[in-house]
């Protein structure tokens, strides 16, 4: 009997290790021989820990599972109170199009044979048989854009690095996933680390880089541990090293751990951090593609961008490009978070409306109260009110509505949320995390907190000042931290003016 | 002046990372893992090993939230302050923690618990989240936090 219990950090934070131990003990007490495998998460947070049992018909799901549910799984599985039926038939999963996350929650993350049996390494094998320019062209033709948030076409970035002169080039994976509401990078690394490794190897072969770095945040201890073991296994199996899969072409990856700085998720700050410096932002140009790590041409891509490359190579650019809308091609792993009934990861082609995502997929709020707003794209993303729920999920579509999709994290708040307090938090966060290099961000964020405190105290004359300050930060900051912090602030002010007038009205 | 044993251990750590490009962050992580903080006496040793100035090392240490200039308490409690956790009661959870421990952010209680803010642990679909002594917990309410601190003997 084969039983799956996720070792994903979220499942473990909800007691998955105790569940695994209880299942082992209950099986032993009944004299049953069971194999307990630790997989990634299927991404349905409200059902975690989600236990699965393999049957000839497919896997049966049970959740949210606790240690007390273990005995019944062996004694009367059909009548188990936590039974959910076949995993693949759970509506939240059935409605998805899993390309990047096809194997997450399905395979043993550290079993290379399992990885290969589920389609892994097909992309790398094909890439090894192609000319590097053709690999770059395939990625460009797929329409894949940077999944970290900026949305820059991945193929164009690769082409720039491939064309840049110099014997030493680098592939840098940005796994500094600091945005609140985002956890796709973490889930991918914990659930299918070889997909990232394979994607980086393809990138290295395509642009002529023999060295890669993964920069992962220290707040992700489980992901760090899984990736470290996966890298060692990949080296042992010849997937990484002096001759990738016996091709005679070399590529290796080094894991670097951040140290609690949000701004290091900005690509130039990240490069400085890998170099062992303060994580301050660099002025662009020069682009990292021309002068990146130690001044060498460098591809900097997000985890999801790189982990999507293998399936593009395996299935072809057209297969991927045929999903999506407008200039947003392929699928996006949406992350539903905060006060949401059905939170988790939902990979789907671009194009659903925000309302469909929040209400149909997310099921509205966890509290049962009306949705007040949704912050899309992390702490620097705009708050969307229900009035904008007809906005289709795509890069240009969200920009046109005054926001950004960022890394596709969505944080739902209910009507009890105080939008002035959340606007203040955005400025406070910016002040705490500013690298200090540019004045609009370093000073502006502090002044922003003060100005919002004046508004909170009933000083309505501070509102125009706040708008003026946001304009300065937006136009004058060196990077997205100071430049985008005005998004949550101004969207809160524009869509929820009543939250900014409460003290003033009370005084009058 | 650093103690001789400290000097030796720092030299070993630097040696273990010799030849690695941009080794300062990995070295600082190793130093902190060894001593529980980055002792100021070790900065000149690190500067010498990496052929940079003490000011540069100090600048890096002070830039990153993770690196401590002084040891933390016996227990470290990190509570997420970010938006997704706020949406599920993180502000009240943090206030309860401060009241119980009698400290503000970055303070260490009489019982030896250091309270730190953290901006996202990646458990946003099961908020609010925290980390106690390196162990993650999700969907934590005030009662559960109290149990966890009691179990830890804090």
């Amino acid at each position: 009997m084969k039983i799956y219990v996720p070792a994903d950090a979220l499942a473990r934070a909800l007691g998955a290790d105790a569940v695994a131990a209880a299942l082992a003990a209950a099986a032993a007490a009944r004299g049953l021989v069971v194999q307990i495998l630790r997989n990634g998460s299927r991404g349905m947070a409200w059902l975690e820990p989600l236990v699965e049992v393999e049957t000839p018909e497919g896997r049966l799901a049970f959740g949210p599972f606790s240690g007390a549910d273990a005995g019944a799984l062996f004694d009367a599985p059909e009548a188990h109170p936590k039974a959910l039926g076949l995993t693949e038939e759970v509506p939240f999963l059935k409605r998805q199009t899993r390309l990047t996350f096809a194997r997450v929650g399905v395979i043993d993350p550290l079993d290379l044979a399992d990885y290969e049996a589920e389609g892994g390494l097909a992309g790398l094998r094909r890439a090894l048989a192609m000319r590097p320019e053709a690999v770059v062209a395939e990625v460009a033709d797929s329409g894949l854009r940077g999944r970290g948030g900026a949305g820059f076409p991945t193929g164009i970035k690769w082409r720039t690095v491939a064309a840049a002169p110099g014997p030493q080039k680098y592939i840098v994976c940005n796994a500094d996933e600091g945005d609140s509401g985002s956890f796709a990078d973490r889930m991918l690394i914990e659930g299918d680390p070889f997909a990232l490794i394979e994607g980086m190897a393809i990138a290295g072969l395509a642009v002529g880089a023999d060295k890669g770095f993964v920069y992962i945040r220290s707040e992700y201890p489980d992901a760090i541990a899984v990736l470290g073991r996966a890298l060692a296994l990949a080296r042992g199996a010849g997937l990484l090293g002096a001759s990738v899969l016996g091709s005679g072409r070399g590529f290796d990856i080094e894991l670097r751990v951040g140290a609690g700085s949000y701004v290091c998720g900005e690509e130039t700050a990240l490069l400085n951090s890998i170099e062992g410096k303060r994580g301050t932002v660099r002025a662009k140009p020069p682009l990292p593609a021309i002068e990146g790590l130690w001044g060498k041409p460098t591809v900097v891509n997000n985890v999801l961008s790189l982990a999507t490359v293998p399936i593009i190579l395996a299935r072809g650019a057209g297969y991927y490009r045929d999903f999506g809308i407008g200039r947003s091609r392929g699928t996006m792993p949406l992350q539903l978070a905060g006060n949401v009934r059905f939170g988790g990861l939902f990979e789907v082609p671009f194009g659903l409306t925000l309302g469909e995502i929040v209400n149909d997929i997310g099921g509205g709020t966890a509290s049962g109260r009306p949705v007040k707003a949704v912050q899309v794209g992390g702490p620097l993303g705009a708050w969307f009110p229900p009035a904008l729920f007809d906005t289709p999920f795509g890069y240009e579509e969200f920009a046109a509505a005054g926001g950004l999709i960022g890394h596709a994290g969505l944080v739902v708040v209910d009507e009890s949320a105080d939008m002035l307090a959340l606007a203040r938090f955005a400025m406070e966060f910016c002040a705490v995390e500013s690298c200090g290099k540019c004045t609009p961000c370093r000073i502006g964020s502090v002044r922003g907190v003060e100005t919002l405190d004046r508004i909170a105290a009933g000083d309505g004359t501070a509102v125009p000042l706040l708008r003026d300050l946001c304009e300065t930060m937006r136009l004058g900051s060196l990077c997205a931290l100071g430049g985008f912090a005005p998004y949550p602030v101004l969207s809160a002010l524009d869509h929820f003016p009543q939250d900014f007038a409460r003290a003033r009205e009370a005084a009058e | 002046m650093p103690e001789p044993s400290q000097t030796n251990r720092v030299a070993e750590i630097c040696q273990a990372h010799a030849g690695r490009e941009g080794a300062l962050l990995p070295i600082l992580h190793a130093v902190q893992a060894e001593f529980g903080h980055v002792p100021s006496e070790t900065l000149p040793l690190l500067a010498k090993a990496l052929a940079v100035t003490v000011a540069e090392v100090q600048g890096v240490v002070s830039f990153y939230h993770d690196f401590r200039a002084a040891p933390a308490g016996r227990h470290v409690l990190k509570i997420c302050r970010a938006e997704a956790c706020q949406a599920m009661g993180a502000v009240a959870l943090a206030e309860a923690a401060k009241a119980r421990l009698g400290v503000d952010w970055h303070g260490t209680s009489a019982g030896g618990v250091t309270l730190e803010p953290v901006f996202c642990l990646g458990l946003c679909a099961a908020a609010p989240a925290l980390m106690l002594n390196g162990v993650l917990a999700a969907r934590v309410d005030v009662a559960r936090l109290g149990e966890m601190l009691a179990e830890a003997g804090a």
Side-chain angles (χ1 to χ4, degrees), chain A residues 96-279:
Chain A
Q96 298 188 42
T97 303
R98 287 205 164 193
L99 305 183
T100 309
F101 275 74
R103 282 175 297 264
V104 175
V106 176
I107 63 167
D108 175 344
L110 292 170
D111 185 338
L112 202 46
D114 214 2
Y115 177 71
E116 221 175 329
E118 292 291 331
L121 299 185
L124 177 58
R125 291 221 162 85
R126 179 160 172 251
L128 281 167
M130 294 163 71
R131 286 181 302 109
E133 311 87 82
V135 176
V136 174
E138 191 86 37
V139 172
D141 290 347
S142 75
L144 179 66
R145 294 167 69 177
R147 295 292 186 244
F152 189 82
T154 305
I156 293 178
K157 194 181 273 186
W158 287 22
R159 194 168 283 151
T160 308
V161 174
Q168 179 67 61
K169 298 173 186 178
Y170 295 105
I171 307 297
V172 169
C173 171
N174 184 345
D176 197 40
E177 181 179 50
D179 288 354
S180 176
S182 295
F183 44 83
D185 295 352
R186 178 186 66 67
M187 277 184 62
L188 190 287
I189 291 173
E190 291 174 4
D192 193 16
F194 293 124
L196 174 59
I197 293 169
E198 183 183 351
M200 289 182 71
I202 293 170
L205 296 166
V207 307
D210 65 356
K211 176 87 192 260
F213 287 90
V214 178
Y215 185 93
I216 187 165
R217 58 202 301 261
S218 62
E219 293 86 346
Y220 283 0
D222 292 25
I224 292 165
V226 171
L227 188 59
R229 288 163 65 194
L231 288 171
L233 290 169
R235 270 180 219 115
L239 169 55
L240 294 175
S243 177
V244 172
L245 295 182
S247 64
R249 296 152 75 186
F251 186 75
D252 210 336
I253 298 172
E254 188 175 336
L255 175 57
R256 288 294 174 96
V257 178
S261 162
Y262 174 78
V263 78
C264 285
E266 196 283 333
E267 61 177 0
T268 61
L270 187 151
L271 295 175
N272 277 338
S273 190
I274 293 177
E275 291 182 12
K277 300 172 183 161
R278 292 164 68 90

Side-chain angles (χ1 to χ4, degrees), chain A residues 142-473:
Chain A
S142 75
L144 179 66
R145 294 167 69 177
R147 295 292 186 244
F152 189 82
T154 305
I156 293 178
K157 194 181 273 186
W158 287 22
R159 194 168 283 151
T160 308
V161 174
Q168 179 67 61
K169 298 173 186 178
Y170 295 105
I171 307 297
V172 169
C173 171
N174 184 345
D176 197 40
E177 181 179 50
D179 288 354
S180 176
S182 295
F183 44 83
D185 295 352
R186 178 186 66 67
M187 277 184 62
L188 190 287
I189 291 173
E190 291 174 4
D192 193 16
F194 293 124
L196 174 59
I197 293 169
E198 183 183 351
M200 289 182 71
I202 293 170
L205 296 166
V207 307
D210 65 356
K211 176 87 192 260
F213 287 90
V214 178
Y215 185 93
I216 187 165
R217 58 202 301 261
S218 62
E219 293 86 346
Y220 283 0
D222 292 25
I224 292 165
V226 171
L227 188 59
R229 288 163 65 194
L231 288 171
L233 290 169
R235 270 180 219 115
L239 169 55
L240 294 175
S243 177
V244 172
L245 295 182
S247 64
R249 296 152 75 186
F251 186 75
D252 210 336
I253 298 172
E254 188 175 336
L255 175 57
R256 288 294 174 96
V257 178
S261 162
Y262 174 78
V263 78
C264 285
E266 196 283 333
E267 61 177 0
T268 61
L270 187 151
L271 295 175
N272 277 338
S273 190
I274 293 177
E275 291 182 12
K277 300 172 183 161
R278 292 164 68 90
T280 49
V281 172
R282 300 177 185 173
K284 289 191 276 193
L287 294 170
I290 309 290
E291 288 182 37
L293 200 57
W294 290 291
K296 304 292 192 290
T298 304
V299 169
V300 186
N301 279 156
N302 173 255
V303 173
L304 301 183
S305 311
L306 288 162
T308 303
V309 165
I311 194 167
I312 290 170
L313 266 296
R315 305 291 293 267
Y319 174 78
Y320 191 77
R321 192 183 54 226
D322 284 348
F323 295 99
I325 55 161
R327 290 177 52 211
S328 305
R329 310 312 312 174
T331 58
M332 190 75 199
L334 307 172
Q335 299 129 78
L336 283 153
N339 194 338
V340 65
R341 190 168 167 214
F342 304 127
L345 186 126
F346 194 95
E347 182 175 352
V348 71
F350 287 96
L352 287 181
T353 67
L354 183 55
E356 287 172 313
I357 295 166
V358 172
N359 291 321
D360 298 350
I361 297 165
T365 63
S367 61
R369 301 167 80 166
V371 173
K372 181 165 188 173
V374 184
Q375 185 176 34
V376 185
L380 310 175
W383 289 99
F384 279 74
L388 291 177
F389 273 15
D390 58 351
T391 310
F393 206 85
Y395 292 99
E396 280 68 32
E397 292 75 8
F398 262 59
L404 48 106
I405 65 168
H407 192 247
L410 298 100
V411 174
V412 181
V413 297
D414 74 9
E415 60 182 6
S416 69
D418 176 352
M419 302 311 292
L420 170 57
L422 285 163
R424 185 190 191 278
F425 178 80
M427 284 292 189
E428 184 193 357
F429 179 71
C430 183
V432 170
E433 296 298 336
S434 176
C435 83
K437 178 131 176 177
C438 74
T439 313
C441 173
R442 184 184 68 245
I443 308 287
S445 55
V446 176
R447 294 288 98 90
V449 172
E450 294 165 0
T451 310
L452 281 154
D453 282 344
R454 279 173 57 186
I455 296 169
D459 180 359
T461 64
V463 171
L465 193 61
L466 179 67
R467 289 192 182 278
D468 190 44
L469 176 68
C470 283
E471 191 69 358
T472 302
M473 289 176 70

Side-chain angles (χ1 to χ4, degrees), chain A residues 9-10 13-14 45-46 170 178-183 186 211 217-221 254-261 263-264 273-280 294 336-339 343-344 366 375 379 411-413 422 425 428-429 432-433 435, chain B residues 17 20-26 28-29 50 55-67 78 80-88 105-106 117-127 129-131 134-140 144:
Chain A
L10 183 141
L14 293 171
W46 76 100
Y170 295 105
D179 288 354
S180 176
S182 295
F183 44 83
R186 178 186 66 67
K211 176 87 192 260
R217 58 202 301 261
S218 62
E219 293 86 346
Y220 283 0
E254 188 175 336
L255 175 57
R256 288 294 174 96
V257 178
S261 162
V263 78
C264 285
S273 190
I274 293 177
E275 291 182 12
K277 300 172 183 161
R278 292 164 68 90
T280 49
W294 290 291
L336 283 153
N339 194 338
Q375 185 176 34
V411 174
V412 181
V413 297
L422 285 163
F425 178 80
E428 184 193 357
F429 179 71
V432 170
E433 296 298 336
C435 83
Chain B
H17 291 85
R20 202 172 175 186
E21 296 168 293
L24 184 51
L25 256 68
L28 288 172
H29 276 303
L50 293 168
E56 276 177 87
V57 177
Q58 171 63 44
V60 171
V61 172
S62 66
F63 181 87
Y64 294 95
H65 300 308
D66 281 2
F67 299 130
K78 296 184 178 185
C80 181
R81 287 193 62 201
E83 291 86 347
C85 285
Q86 284 186 45
M88 292 300 282
W105 294 121
H106 309 291
V118 62
F119 295 98
C120 199
L121 294 163
L123 308 179
C124 325
L130 58 77
M131 185 189 260
V135 178
L136 294 165
R139 246 178 246 138
V140 182
R144 178 76 192 119

Side-chain angles (χ1 to χ4, degrees), chain B residues 2-96:
Chain B
E3 311 244 332
S5 62
Q6 197 176 52
T7 305
N8 290 339
R9 190 63 198 111
V10 170
E12 283 169 21
I13 289 169
C14 292
Q15 186 59 41
H17 291 85
R20 202 172 175 186
E21 296 168 293
L24 184 51
L25 256 68
I27 288 174
L28 288 172
H29 276 303
V31 168
Q32 179 147 306
E34 181 75 24
F35 303 110
H37 67 300
V38 180
S40 58
E41 314 88 80
T42 65
L43 301 189
L45 304 173
L46 301 178
K48 188 150 183 255
L50 293 168
V52 295
T53 65
V54 177
E56 276 177 87
V57 177
Q58 171 63 44
V60 171
V61 172
S62 66
F63 181 87
Y64 294 95
H65 300 308
D66 281 2
F67 299 130
R68 302 176 187 284
R74 282 183 300 122
H75 305 283
V76 177
L77 174 61
K78 296 184 178 185
I79 299 182
C80 181
R81 287 193 62 201
E83 291 86 347
C85 285
Q86 284 186 45
M88 292 300 282
V91 174
L93 184 67
E95 289 309 312

